[in-house]
Amino acid sequence: MKYDYLIVGAGLYGAVFAHEAHKLGKKVLVIDKRDNIAGNVYTKEVEGINVHVYGAHIFHTNNKEVWEYVNQFAEFNRFTNSPVANYKGELYSMPFNMYTFNKMWGVVTPQEVMDKIEAQKKEAGITEPQNLEEQAISLVGRDIYEKLVKGYTEKQWGRDCKDLPSFIIKRLPVRFTFDNNYFNALYQGIPMGGYTNMVANMLDGVEVKLGVDYLENKKEYDALADKVVYTGAIDAYFNFKLGTLEYRSVRFDTELLDIPNYQGNAAVNYTDRETPYTRIIEHKWFEFGKDKDGNDIPKTVISKEYSSEWKPGDEPYYPVNDDKNGQLYSKYKALADMEDKVIFGGRLGEYKYYDMDKVIEVALAKTKEVLK
């Protein structure tokens, strides 16, 4: 055995585990089938702009330990996520707050807003929400649901809102204040210089091999290490023998434009059903339109996001957390628990939609449990 740990995947979970193991003097090899580190938080510099290649990632957490941990590897800016919703050319503030309600209904006090929502909820006859549509109407009323929730959500999930579970939207931020900060988190920002640099700092001193497919050469790689930390898809590990877990995928159409400002905001959500993409990201605004030397950047990069049903060969993004997939995952989990040499971790290894801070939290917890 040449290594103590073989880590499959150079994303956040793998990088945290690798860093902690290396710090304790363990011999570690990290491999990834992509040609880059950092997994889905990978950023690539284009014309001085750190482009979020696999979609926008805004770090936010209430966990002080996690915040202090990531700040070892990067300095974070003060970016605050304040998306704009575009419904057929009408612009609304997100999260839903007093600015949104004022534009939608002309109301000016929180009590007027609550009365309006309560009246629309009663009109819809909702007591116990049974699906996403009913949950949304009970939270924000029918008008906001119809314009700002329904079309966007149906594009994102590829299903009618009546066929989606209510819990998907329970975290929908609704504010009776003039607060445009989408995340209700104590700590928030973007690593200056991009996420790739942050992950490179985590992996400093660790051996990394890229463009390597673990599952194609599993026996050969397993023979190299005492333990394997696997962050790929759990069903792929078992060669899909019990069936295939479902995901939603996202396709990005990214363009470099010879103008300094395309939409004036990092994220604009297109909430009508007819616009084929869910949102447009303008990457430069994550770092306030400045390059690393603090100069204004004369060009811009935008990415249109198209949500789609996952099929083999696509990048899996969001687990479809319904009963059918939950039951299938629990069967794969039982198989995984019998693999005494392998630790399954991360979004794909655990079939969970994790925010970045949660990935780091569970990876740190696992290292404390297994690294002696």
Side-chain angles (χ1 to χ4, degrees):
M1 293 291 181
K2 193 176 171 187
Y3 301 97
D4 297 304
Y5 287 94
L6 169 71
I7 297 174
V8 181
L12 285 175
Y13 190 102
V16 168
F17 200 104
H19 179 81
E20 294 304 300
H22 178 69
K23 197 165 74 176
L24 292 174
K26 306 290 186 189
K27 286 185 180 171
V28 179
L29 172 63
V30 176
I31 61 173
D32 199 297
K33 68 179 179 183
R34 286 181 182 163
D35 292 324
N36 56 267
I37 60 167
N40 278 7
V41 302
Y42 173 61
T43 49
K44 181 171 82 173
E45 193 182 308
V46 177
E47 299 279 345
I49 301 163
N50 290 308
V51 174
H52 295 220
V53 174
Y54 297 100
H57 286 83
I58 298 134
F59 201 91
H60 57 98
T61 187
N62 285 310
N63 186 323
K64 191 177 182 189
E65 182 193 358
V66 167
W67 181 245
E68 288 174 349
Y69 187 80
V70 293
N71 273 268
Q72 298 174 86
F73 309 107
E75 185 182 348
F76 280 69
N77 69 18
R78 57 170 185 81
F79 180 82
T80 300
N81 189 29
S82 303
V84 171
N86 182 323
Y87 177 78
K88 301 184 177 179
E90 295 173 23
L91 301 181
Y92 293 90
S93 290
M94 292 187 71
F96 305 136
N97 62 27
M98 290 301 294
Y99 292 112
T100 321
F101 303 132
N102 173 263
K103 175 145 188 187
M104 185 70 71
W105 295 318
V107 291
V108 293
T109 68
Q111 190 58 53
E112 286 178 289
V113 176
M114 289 186 262
D115 291 347
K116 192 84 177 167
I117 291 172
E118 190 54 36
Q120 294 196 350
K121 183 180 167 184
K122 271 189 182 156
E123 199 181 308
I126 298 162
T127 48
E128 277 293 311
Q130 298 300 308
N131 54 45
L132 189 147
E133 179 174 290
E134 292 182 0
Q135 181 70 51
I137 292 169
S138 68
L139 284 171
V140 291
R142 182 170 289 282
D143 295 336
I144 286 176
Y145 164 71
E146 292 286 352
K147 281 191 172 184
L148 304 183
V149 177
K150 180 176 165 64
Y152 184 90
T153 305
E154 290 181 351
K155 285 188 289 190
Q156 192 176 29
W157 290 99
R159 290 159 178 77
D160 192 289
C161 285
K162 291 190 185 78
D163 300 327
L164 287 164
S166 61
F167 73 79
I168 289 178
I169 214 156
K170 276 191 174 155
R171 291 192 309 167
L172 185 72
V174 180
R175 311 261 164 80
F176 301 104
T177 59
F178 292 89
D179 180 4
N180 280 334
N181 181 356
Y182 192 84
F183 297 121
N184 190 14
L186 281 171
Y187 311 104
Q188 184 175 165
I190 303 272
M192 289 152 89
Y195 285 99
T196 304
N197 282 352
M198 182 183 88
V199 175
N201 290 335
M202 287 180 174
L203 293 170
D204 187 36
V206 175
E207 189 180 342
V208 178
K209 288 184 181 174
L210 299 173
V212 167
D213 192 327
Y214 166 72
L215 294 176
E216 277 187 6
N217 301 286
K218 189 172 172 305
K219 276 188 182 165
E220 178 191 320
Y221 280 105
D222 284 349
L224 293 177
D226 291 326
K227 289 271 185 188
V228 175
V229 177
Y230 177 79
T231 70
I234 189 170
D235 53 351
Y237 180 90
F238 293 105
N239 202 25
F240 307 102
K241 67 181 180 184
L242 302 177
T244 303
L245 290 164
E246 291 177 298
Y247 294 87
R248 291 296 290 169
S249 193
V250 184
R251 178 173 65 79
F252 304 96
D253 181 3
T254 299
E255 299 172 70
L256 171 66
L257 303 177
D258 204 7
I259 55 172
N261 190 349
Y262 178 78
Q263 63 186 19
N265 202 48
V268 176
N269 293 1
Y270 286 79
T271 61
D272 61 278
R273 195 71 180 85
E274 294 74 27
T275 303
Y277 39 86
T278 52
R279 64 180 179 174
I280 298 179
I281 299 301
E282 189 168 6
H283 301 264
K284 70 189 298 182
W285 302 123
F286 290 127
E287 297 180 65
F288 311 108
K290 308 283 187 186
D291 65 17
K292 60 179 181 288
D293 300 317
N295 302 311
D296 290 336
I297 299 169
K299 296 184 180 182
T300 195
V301 175
I302 63 164
S303 295
K304 293 175 180 171
E305 295 189 9
Y306 298 82
S307 188
S308 62
E309 204 70 44
W310 178 86
K311 59 186 186 302
D314 290 346
E315 216 39 72
Y317 281 87
Y318 307 106
V320 177
N321 292 131
D322 57 14
D323 287 343
K324 181 181 78 166
N325 284 287
Q327 287 171 22
L328 181 56
Y329 168 68
S330 65
K331 291 175 184 171
Y332 277 120
K333 171 85 168 62
L335 290 180
D337 290 343
M338 291 158 62
E339 298 268 325
D340 57 353
K341 183 177 169 169
V342 185
I343 295 161
F344 291 80
R347 198 172 43 91
L348 302 179
E350 297 175 58
Y351 196 64
K352 278 188 184 142
Y353 180 66
Y354 278 140
D355 283 330
M356 287 180 285
D357 64 322
K358 191 66 182 174
V359 171
I360 289 165
E361 183 188 313
V362 297
L364 283 172
K366 184 56 78 173
T367 64
K368 284 171 189 164
E369 178 193 324
V370 302
L371 291 173
K372 302 287 186 278

